[in-house]
Amino acid sequence: MASGLGVLVTSGDSQIGDIFSALEGALDRTTWRSSTLLNERNGDGKLPLVLLGHANELRFKINSSERKTGADIVKHLVTTRMLTPSKFGFVFLAGCRGAHTNREGLYIDVGNAIGLPVLASTTSVSMGRSGSKVSFTPIENGEWKVYYPDEGVVYNLRLERCKHFRDVLASVEIQVNDAASF
């Protein structure tokens, strides 16, 4: 059966843990350090691989003292955990500001390592939970960007070409909002 996959990257953070628990039922869930093999996980070529954690523009925060690049996380998931990237439609970097510029950033590092489009915010995000749904909203006038590694280009999520990302995320109880205007 097809299901998106949620991977908890940051450990020891109660807000991230709360959001991760809300994804139960909507996504298969695992932690990035788990030893469970992921070769049976199947997103039907369209459902997301969600990497949930804190980050700066270039690295994930693993815990209070450890940071890893996106390529490090992807390598572990693909090589050690046997994840098959082609079984998923895209990667969603949730809970972090992974989109730095159009030429560098965590989302480009992840996209180049995994070969899938990557959706990320240019700023930190506000995370919310309402029943079984979770929402992510960029703060400080942030924007959602999508990196297509096969083309080496970045688009804004508001473009018609990228509309399906919101639709697919909504199908697994994840809502991505535009930044609030003040």
Short mmCIF file of all heavy atoms in Angstrom, two decimals, residues 108-166:
data_model
loop_
_atom_site.label_atom_id
_atom_site.label_comp_id
_atom_site.label_asym_id
_atom_site.label_seq_id
_atom_site.Cartn_x
_atom_site.Cartn_y
_atom_site.Cartn_z
N ILE A 108 18.85 22.33 -1.90
CA ILE A 108 19.62 21.96 -3.09
C ILE A 108 20.54 20.78 -2.79
O ILE A 108 20.66 19.85 -3.58
CB ILE A 108 20.39 23.19 -3.63
CG1 ILE A 108 19.36 24.18 -4.21
CG2 ILE A 108 21.41 22.79 -4.69
CD1 ILE A 108 19.91 25.50 -4.66
N ASP A 109 21.13 20.78 -1.59
CA ASP A 109 21.97 19.66 -1.16
C ASP A 109 21.15 18.36 -1.12
O ASP A 109 21.57 17.33 -1.65
CB ASP A 109 22.56 19.99 0.22
CG ASP A 109 23.60 19.00 0.69
OD1 ASP A 109 24.35 18.45 -0.15
OD2 ASP A 109 23.70 18.81 1.92
N VAL A 110 19.96 18.42 -0.52
CA VAL A 110 19.09 17.23 -0.44
C VAL A 110 18.66 16.82 -1.86
O VAL A 110 18.74 15.64 -2.22
CB VAL A 110 17.85 17.51 0.45
CG1 VAL A 110 16.82 16.38 0.31
CG2 VAL A 110 18.27 17.67 1.90
N GLY A 111 18.22 17.77 -2.67
CA GLY A 111 17.74 17.45 -4.02
C GLY A 111 18.80 16.81 -4.89
O GLY A 111 18.55 15.83 -5.59
N ASN A 112 20.02 17.36 -4.84
CA ASN A 112 21.10 16.79 -5.63
C ASN A 112 21.47 15.39 -5.15
O ASN A 112 21.84 14.53 -5.95
CB ASN A 112 22.33 17.70 -5.62
CG ASN A 112 22.11 18.96 -6.41
OD1 ASN A 112 21.25 19.03 -7.28
ND2 ASN A 112 22.90 19.99 -6.12
N ALA A 113 21.35 15.14 -3.85
CA ALA A 113 21.70 13.83 -3.30
C ALA A 113 20.64 12.77 -3.58
O ALA A 113 20.95 11.61 -3.77
CB ALA A 113 21.96 13.94 -1.80
N ILE A 114 19.36 13.19 -3.60
CA ILE A 114 18.28 12.21 -3.73
C ILE A 114 17.65 12.18 -5.13
O ILE A 114 16.98 11.22 -5.49
CB ILE A 114 17.21 12.45 -2.64
CG1 ILE A 114 16.40 11.18 -2.38
CG2 ILE A 114 16.31 13.64 -2.97
CD1 ILE A 114 15.64 11.19 -1.08
N GLY A 115 17.84 13.23 -5.91
CA GLY A 115 17.32 13.25 -7.27
C GLY A 115 15.83 13.50 -7.38
O GLY A 115 15.22 13.17 -8.40
N LEU A 116 15.23 14.09 -6.36
CA LEU A 116 13.80 14.42 -6.36
C LEU A 116 13.62 15.92 -6.15
O LEU A 116 14.47 16.55 -5.53
CB LEU A 116 13.08 13.69 -5.22
CG LEU A 116 13.03 12.17 -5.26
CD1 LEU A 116 12.45 11.63 -3.95
CD2 LEU A 116 12.19 11.70 -6.44
N PRO A 117 12.49 16.49 -6.59
CA PRO A 117 12.21 17.88 -6.25
C PRO A 117 12.13 18.04 -4.73
O PRO A 117 11.69 17.12 -4.03
CB PRO A 117 10.85 18.15 -6.89
CG PRO A 117 10.73 17.13 -7.98
CD PRO A 117 11.45 15.92 -7.47
N VAL A 118 12.55 19.20 -4.24
CA VAL A 118 12.54 19.46 -2.79
C VAL A 118 11.83 20.78 -2.53
O VAL A 118 12.17 21.81 -3.11
CB VAL A 118 13.97 19.51 -2.22
CG1 VAL A 118 13.94 19.78 -0.72
CG2 VAL A 118 14.72 18.21 -2.50
N LEU A 119 10.87 20.74 -1.61
CA LEU A 119 10.10 21.89 -1.18
C LEU A 119 10.61 22.34 0.18
O LEU A 119 10.73 21.52 1.10
CB LEU A 119 8.63 21.49 -1.10
CG LEU A 119 7.63 22.43 -0.46
CD1 LEU A 119 7.56 23.74 -1.21
CD2 LEU A 119 6.27 21.76 -0.38
N ALA A 120 10.93 23.65 0.32
CA ALA A 120 11.43 24.17 1.59
C ALA A 120 11.09 25.64 1.72
O ALA A 120 10.82 26.32 0.73
CB ALA A 120 12.95 23.97 1.68
N SER A 121 11.15 26.15 2.94
CA SER A 121 10.88 27.55 3.23
C SER A 121 12.17 28.36 3.28
O SER A 121 13.21 27.84 3.69
CB SER A 121 10.15 27.68 4.57
OG SER A 121 10.02 29.03 4.95
N THR A 122 12.07 29.64 2.91
CA THR A 122 13.24 30.51 2.97
C THR A 122 13.49 31.03 4.39
O THR A 122 14.52 31.62 4.65
CB THR A 122 13.06 31.73 2.04
OG1 THR A 122 11.89 32.44 2.42
CG2 THR A 122 12.99 31.30 0.59
N THR A 123 12.53 30.82 5.30
CA THR A 123 12.68 31.24 6.69
C THR A 123 12.28 30.10 7.62
O THR A 123 11.79 29.07 7.16
CB THR A 123 11.77 32.46 7.01
OG1 THR A 123 10.40 32.07 6.85
CG2 THR A 123 12.10 33.65 6.13
N SER A 124 12.42 30.32 8.89
CA SER A 124 11.86 29.38 9.87
C SER A 124 10.35 29.34 9.65
O SER A 124 9.77 30.26 9.07
CB SER A 124 12.17 29.84 11.29
OG SER A 124 13.54 29.82 11.53
N VAL A 125 9.73 28.28 10.13
CA VAL A 125 8.28 28.15 9.96
C VAL A 125 7.59 28.02 11.30
O VAL A 125 8.17 27.55 12.28
CB VAL A 125 7.92 26.92 9.07
CG1 VAL A 125 8.47 27.08 7.67
CG2 VAL A 125 8.37 25.63 9.69
N SER A 126 6.36 28.46 11.31
CA SER A 126 5.49 28.24 12.44
C SER A 126 4.78 26.92 12.17
O SER A 126 4.24 26.72 11.09
CB SER A 126 4.49 29.39 12.54
OG SER A 126 3.49 29.10 13.49
N MET A 127 4.82 26.03 13.15
CA MET A 127 4.18 24.73 12.98
C MET A 127 2.95 24.67 13.86
O MET A 127 2.98 25.12 15.01
CB MET A 127 5.14 23.61 13.39
CG MET A 127 6.36 23.51 12.53
SD MET A 127 7.51 22.22 13.07
CE MET A 127 8.25 23.02 14.48
N GLY A 128 1.87 24.13 13.33
CA GLY A 128 0.64 24.02 14.09
C GLY A 128 0.01 22.66 13.92
O GLY A 128 0.28 21.94 12.96
N ARG A 129 -0.82 22.33 14.87
CA ARG A 129 -1.51 21.04 14.84
C ARG A 129 -2.97 21.27 15.20
O ARG A 129 -3.28 21.93 16.19
CB ARG A 129 -0.87 20.10 15.85
CG ARG A 129 -1.54 18.76 15.97
CD ARG A 129 -0.84 17.89 16.98
NE ARG A 129 -1.53 16.62 17.09
CZ ARG A 129 -1.14 15.64 17.85
NH1 ARG A 129 -0.05 15.76 18.58
NH2 ARG A 129 -1.81 14.53 17.90
N SER A 130 -3.86 20.74 14.38
CA SER A 130 -5.29 20.82 14.64
C SER A 130 -5.89 19.46 14.34
O SER A 130 -6.05 19.10 13.17
CB SER A 130 -5.93 21.90 13.78
OG SER A 130 -7.32 21.93 13.99
N GLY A 131 -6.15 18.69 15.38
CA GLY A 131 -6.64 17.33 15.19
C GLY A 131 -5.59 16.50 14.49
O GLY A 131 -4.45 16.42 14.92
N SER A 132 -5.96 15.92 13.35
CA SER A 132 -5.01 15.08 12.61
C SER A 132 -4.22 15.87 11.57
O SER A 132 -3.37 15.30 10.89
CB SER A 132 -5.75 13.93 11.93
OG SER A 132 -6.65 14.44 10.97
N LYS A 133 -4.48 17.15 11.45
CA LYS A 133 -3.80 17.96 10.44
C LYS A 133 -2.66 18.76 11.06
O LYS A 133 -2.75 19.21 12.21
CB LYS A 133 -4.77 18.93 9.78
CG LYS A 133 -5.82 18.24 8.95
CD LYS A 133 -6.72 19.23 8.28
CE LYS A 133 -7.77 18.47 7.47
NZ LYS A 133 -8.64 19.36 6.75
N VAL A 134 -1.60 18.93 10.29
CA VAL A 134 -0.50 19.79 10.71
C VAL A 134 -0.33 20.88 9.65
O VAL A 134 -0.62 20.66 8.47
CB VAL A 134 0.83 19.02 10.93
CG1 VAL A 134 0.69 18.04 12.08
CG2 VAL A 134 1.27 18.29 9.68
N SER A 135 0.14 22.03 10.09
CA SER A 135 0.34 23.12 9.15
C SER A 135 1.72 23.72 9.35
O SER A 135 2.28 23.70 10.45
CB SER A 135 -0.73 24.20 9.33
OG SER A 135 -0.62 24.79 10.61
N PHE A 136 2.26 24.24 8.26
CA PHE A 136 3.57 24.88 8.25
C PHE A 136 3.41 26.22 7.54
O PHE A 136 2.93 26.27 6.41
CB PHE A 136 4.59 24.01 7.52
CG PHE A 136 4.81 22.68 8.18
CD1 PHE A 136 4.04 21.57 7.83
CD2 PHE A 136 5.78 22.53 9.16
CE1 PHE A 136 4.23 20.35 8.44
CE2 PHE A 136 5.98 21.31 9.78
CZ PHE A 136 5.21 20.22 9.42
N THR A 137 3.83 27.30 8.22
CA THR A 137 3.70 28.64 7.68
C THR A 137 5.02 29.37 7.84
O THR A 137 5.51 29.52 8.96
CB THR A 137 2.59 29.42 8.43
OG1 THR A 137 1.38 28.66 8.41
CG2 THR A 137 2.37 30.79 7.80
N PRO A 138 5.61 29.84 6.75
CA PRO A 138 6.85 30.62 6.87
C PRO A 138 6.60 31.89 7.69
O PRO A 138 5.53 32.49 7.60
CB PRO A 138 7.21 30.98 5.43
CG PRO A 138 6.47 29.99 4.59
CD PRO A 138 5.21 29.67 5.35
N ILE A 139 7.59 32.26 8.47
CA ILE A 139 7.49 33.51 9.23
C ILE A 139 8.38 34.56 8.58
O ILE A 139 9.14 34.24 7.65
CB ILE A 139 7.85 33.30 10.72
CG1 ILE A 139 9.29 32.80 10.88
CG2 ILE A 139 6.88 32.32 11.38
CD1 ILE A 139 9.77 32.74 12.32
N GLU A 140 8.27 35.78 9.05
CA GLU A 140 9.14 36.86 8.58
C GLU A 140 9.12 37.01 7.06
O GLU A 140 10.15 37.14 6.41
CB GLU A 140 10.58 36.65 9.06
CG GLU A 140 10.71 36.55 10.56
CD GLU A 140 12.04 35.98 11.00
OE1 GLU A 140 12.87 35.59 10.16
OE2 GLU A 140 12.25 35.93 12.21
N ASN A 141 7.92 36.96 6.46
CA ASN A 141 7.76 37.10 5.00
C ASN A 141 8.51 36.04 4.20
O ASN A 141 8.95 36.30 3.08
CB ASN A 141 8.17 38.51 4.55
CG ASN A 141 7.29 39.56 5.16
OD1 ASN A 141 6.07 39.39 5.21
ND2 ASN A 141 7.88 40.63 5.65
N GLY A 142 8.65 34.87 4.75
CA GLY A 142 9.30 33.78 4.03
C GLY A 142 8.45 33.27 2.89
O GLY A 142 7.26 33.60 2.76
N GLU A 143 9.07 32.48 2.05
CA GLU A 143 8.39 31.91 0.88
C GLU A 143 8.74 30.43 0.78
O GLU A 143 9.81 30.00 1.21
CB GLU A 143 8.86 32.58 -0.41
CG GLU A 143 8.57 34.03 -0.52
CD GLU A 143 9.10 34.58 -1.83
OE1 GLU A 143 10.33 34.57 -2.03
OE2 GLU A 143 8.27 34.98 -2.66
N TRP A 144 7.83 29.68 0.16
CA TRP A 144 8.11 28.29 -0.17
C TRP A 144 8.77 28.25 -1.53
O TRP A 144 8.28 28.84 -2.49
CB TRP A 144 6.82 27.47 -0.20
CG TRP A 144 6.18 27.32 1.13
CD1 TRP A 144 5.04 27.94 1.57
CD2 TRP A 144 6.63 26.51 2.20
NE1 TRP A 144 4.77 27.55 2.85
CE2 TRP A 144 5.73 26.67 3.27
CE3 TRP A 144 7.73 25.67 2.38
CZ2 TRP A 144 5.86 26.01 4.49
CZ3 TRP A 144 7.88 25.01 3.59
CH2 TRP A 144 6.96 25.18 4.62
N LYS A 145 9.87 27.51 -1.64
CA LYS A 145 10.59 27.33 -2.89
C LYS A 145 10.64 25.84 -3.21
O LYS A 145 10.66 24.99 -2.31
CB LYS A 145 12.02 27.86 -2.78
CG LYS A 145 12.12 29.34 -2.45
CD LYS A 145 11.80 30.18 -3.65
CE LYS A 145 12.07 31.64 -3.35
NZ LYS A 145 12.00 32.45 -4.53
N VAL A 146 10.70 25.53 -4.50
CA VAL A 146 10.82 24.14 -4.96
C VAL A 146 12.05 24.06 -5.85
O VAL A 146 12.16 24.78 -6.84
CB VAL A 146 9.58 23.68 -5.74
CG1 VAL A 146 9.74 22.23 -6.19
CG2 VAL A 146 8.31 23.86 -4.93
N TYR A 147 12.97 23.17 -5.48
CA TYR A 147 14.16 22.93 -6.28
C TYR A 147 13.98 21.67 -7.09
O TYR A 147 13.65 20.61 -6.55
CB TYR A 147 15.39 22.80 -5.38
CG TYR A 147 16.64 22.38 -6.11
CD1 TYR A 147 17.19 23.17 -7.12
CD2 TYR A 147 17.28 21.17 -5.81
CE1 TYR A 147 18.32 22.77 -7.81
CE2 TYR A 147 18.42 20.77 -6.48
CZ TYR A 147 18.94 21.57 -7.47
OH TYR A 147 20.07 21.18 -8.15
N TYR A 148 14.18 21.78 -8.41
CA TYR A 148 14.12 20.63 -9.31
C TYR A 148 15.55 20.25 -9.69
O TYR A 148 16.16 20.91 -10.55
CB TYR A 148 13.32 20.99 -10.58
CG TYR A 148 11.84 21.09 -10.37
CD1 TYR A 148 11.25 22.25 -9.91
CD2 TYR A 148 11.02 20.00 -10.65
CE1 TYR A 148 9.88 22.34 -9.73
CE2 TYR A 148 9.65 20.08 -10.48
CZ TYR A 148 9.09 21.26 -10.01
OH TYR A 148 7.73 21.33 -9.84
N PRO A 149 16.12 19.21 -9.10
CA PRO A 149 17.51 18.87 -9.37
C PRO A 149 17.78 18.44 -10.80
O PRO A 149 18.87 18.67 -11.32
CB PRO A 149 17.81 17.73 -8.39
CG PRO A 149 16.50 17.16 -8.04
CD PRO A 149 15.51 18.28 -8.13
N ASP A 150 16.80 17.83 -11.46
CA ASP A 150 17.01 17.40 -12.84
C ASP A 150 17.16 18.59 -13.79
O ASP A 150 17.77 18.47 -14.86
CB ASP A 150 15.90 16.46 -13.32
CG ASP A 150 14.51 17.06 -13.22
OD1 ASP A 150 14.30 17.99 -12.41
OD2 ASP A 150 13.63 16.60 -13.97
N GLU A 151 16.63 19.75 -13.41
CA GLU A 151 16.75 20.96 -14.22
C GLU A 151 17.74 21.95 -13.63
O GLU A 151 18.15 22.89 -14.31
CB GLU A 151 15.39 21.64 -14.34
CG GLU A 151 14.32 20.79 -14.98
CD GLU A 151 12.95 21.44 -14.86
OE1 GLU A 151 12.87 22.69 -14.73
OE2 GLU A 151 11.95 20.70 -14.90
N GLY A 152 18.06 21.79 -12.34
CA GLY A 152 18.94 22.72 -11.66
C GLY A 152 18.31 24.09 -11.46
O GLY A 152 19.01 25.10 -11.42
N VAL A 153 16.98 24.14 -11.32
CA VAL A 153 16.27 25.41 -11.18
C VAL A 153 15.38 25.41 -9.94
O VAL A 153 14.98 24.37 -9.43
CB VAL A 153 15.43 25.76 -12.42
CG1 VAL A 153 16.30 25.98 -13.64
CG2 VAL A 153 14.40 24.69 -12.69
N VAL A 154 15.05 26.64 -9.50
CA VAL A 154 14.20 26.85 -8.34
C VAL A 154 12.97 27.64 -8.77
O VAL A 154 13.08 28.61 -9.53
CB VAL A 154 14.96 27.64 -7.25
CG1 VAL A 154 14.05 27.99 -6.09
CG2 VAL A 154 16.16 26.84 -6.77
N TYR A 155 11.80 27.21 -8.28
CA TYR A 155 10.55 27.92 -8.55
C TYR A 155 9.88 28.26 -7.23
O TYR A 155 10.08 27.59 -6.22
CB TYR A 155 9.59 27.05 -9.37
CG TYR A 155 10.09 26.71 -10.74
CD1 TYR A 155 10.63 25.46 -11.03
CD2 TYR A 155 10.01 27.64 -11.78
CE1 TYR A 155 11.10 25.16 -12.29
CE2 TYR A 155 10.47 27.34 -13.05
CZ TYR A 155 11.01 26.10 -13.29
OH TYR A 155 11.47 25.79 -14.55
N ASN A 156 9.02 29.27 -7.27
CA ASN A 156 8.20 29.60 -6.12
C ASN A 156 7.01 28.65 -6.11
O ASN A 156 6.44 28.35 -7.17
CB ASN A 156 7.73 31.06 -6.23
CG ASN A 156 7.10 31.54 -4.93
OD1 ASN A 156 6.09 31.01 -4.48
ND2 ASN A 156 7.71 32.55 -4.35
N LEU A 157 6.62 28.20 -4.92
CA LEU A 157 5.50 27.27 -4.80
C LEU A 157 4.20 27.85 -5.33
O LEU A 157 3.30 27.11 -5.71
CB LEU A 157 5.33 26.85 -3.33
CG LEU A 157 4.24 25.83 -3.02
CD1 LEU A 157 4.50 24.51 -3.74
CD2 LEU A 157 4.12 25.61 -1.53
N ARG A 158 4.08 29.17 -5.40
CA ARG A 158 2.84 29.80 -5.88
C ARG A 158 2.62 29.61 -7.38
O ARG A 158 1.51 29.83 -7.86
CB ARG A 158 2.84 31.29 -5.56
CG ARG A 158 2.57 31.54 -4.09
CD ARG A 158 2.50 33.01 -3.81
NE ARG A 158 3.75 33.33 -3.13
CZ ARG A 158 4.34 34.49 -3.15
NH1 ARG A 158 3.81 35.48 -3.81
NH2 ARG A 158 5.45 34.68 -2.51
N LEU A 159 3.63 29.22 -8.12
CA LEU A 159 3.47 29.04 -9.56
C LEU A 159 2.56 27.85 -9.86
O LEU A 159 2.56 26.85 -9.14
CB LEU A 159 4.83 28.83 -10.23
CG LEU A 159 5.78 30.02 -10.18
CD1 LEU A 159 7.12 29.65 -10.80
CD2 LEU A 159 5.18 31.22 -10.90
N GLU A 160 1.84 27.94 -10.95
CA GLU A 160 0.92 26.87 -11.36
C GLU A 160 1.64 25.53 -11.48
O GLU A 160 1.09 24.49 -11.11
CB GLU A 160 0.25 27.24 -12.69
CG GLU A 160 -0.81 26.26 -13.14
CD GLU A 160 -2.01 26.18 -12.20
OE1 GLU A 160 -2.35 27.17 -11.53
OE2 GLU A 160 -2.60 25.08 -12.14
N ARG A 161 2.87 25.55 -11.96
CA ARG A 161 3.64 24.32 -12.14
C ARG A 161 3.80 23.56 -10.82
O ARG A 161 3.93 22.34 -10.81
CB ARG A 161 5.02 24.65 -12.70
CG ARG A 161 5.90 23.44 -12.78
CD ARG A 161 7.26 23.72 -13.29
NE ARG A 161 7.94 22.45 -13.47
CZ ARG A 161 9.13 22.32 -13.96
NH1 ARG A 161 9.79 23.37 -14.36
NH2 ARG A 161 9.68 21.14 -14.08
N CYS A 162 3.80 24.26 -9.71
CA CYS A 162 4.08 23.65 -8.40
C CYS A 162 2.82 23.40 -7.57
O CYS A 162 2.91 22.90 -6.45
CB CYS A 162 5.04 24.54 -7.62
SG CYS A 162 6.62 24.81 -8.46
N LYS A 163 1.65 23.72 -8.08
CA LYS A 163 0.40 23.58 -7.34
C LYS A 163 0.19 22.16 -6.80
O LYS A 163 -0.30 21.98 -5.69
CB LYS A 163 -0.78 23.97 -8.23
CG LYS A 163 -2.12 23.90 -7.54
CD LYS A 163 -3.25 24.18 -8.52
CE LYS A 163 -4.61 24.14 -7.90
NZ LYS A 163 -4.95 22.97 -7.16
N HIS A 164 0.59 21.18 -7.56
CA HIS A 164 0.34 19.79 -7.14
C HIS A 164 1.05 19.43 -5.83
O HIS A 164 0.59 18.55 -5.11
CB HIS A 164 0.73 18.82 -8.25
CG HIS A 164 2.20 18.69 -8.47
ND1 HIS A 164 2.93 19.62 -9.18
CD2 HIS A 164 3.08 17.74 -8.06
CE1 HIS A 164 4.20 19.25 -9.19
NE2 HIS A 164 4.32 18.12 -8.53
N PHE A 165 2.13 20.12 -5.48
CA PHE A 165 2.80 19.83 -4.21
C PHE A 165 1.87 20.10 -3.03
O PHE A 165 1.78 19.30 -2.11
CB PHE A 165 4.10 20.64 -4.05
CG PHE A 165 5.18 20.24 -5.01
CD1 PHE A 165 5.57 21.10 -6.01
CD2 PHE A 165 5.79 19.00 -4.92
CE1 PHE A 165 6.57 20.75 -6.91
CE2 PHE A 165 6.79 18.63 -5.81
CZ PHE A 165 7.17 19.50 -6.81
N ARG A 166 1.17 21.23 -3.07
CA ARG A 166 0.20 21.54 -2.00
C ARG A 166 -0.91 20.49 -1.95
O ARG A 166 -1.32 20.06 -0.88
CB ARG A 166 -0.43 22.91 -2.23
CG ARG A 166 0.46 24.08 -1.94
CD ARG A 166 -0.35 25.38 -2.09
NE ARG A 166 0.47 26.52 -2.25
CZ ARG A 166 0.83 27.35 -1.26
NH1 ARG A 166 0.43 27.12 -0.04
NH2 ARG A 166 1.58 28.40 -1.51
#
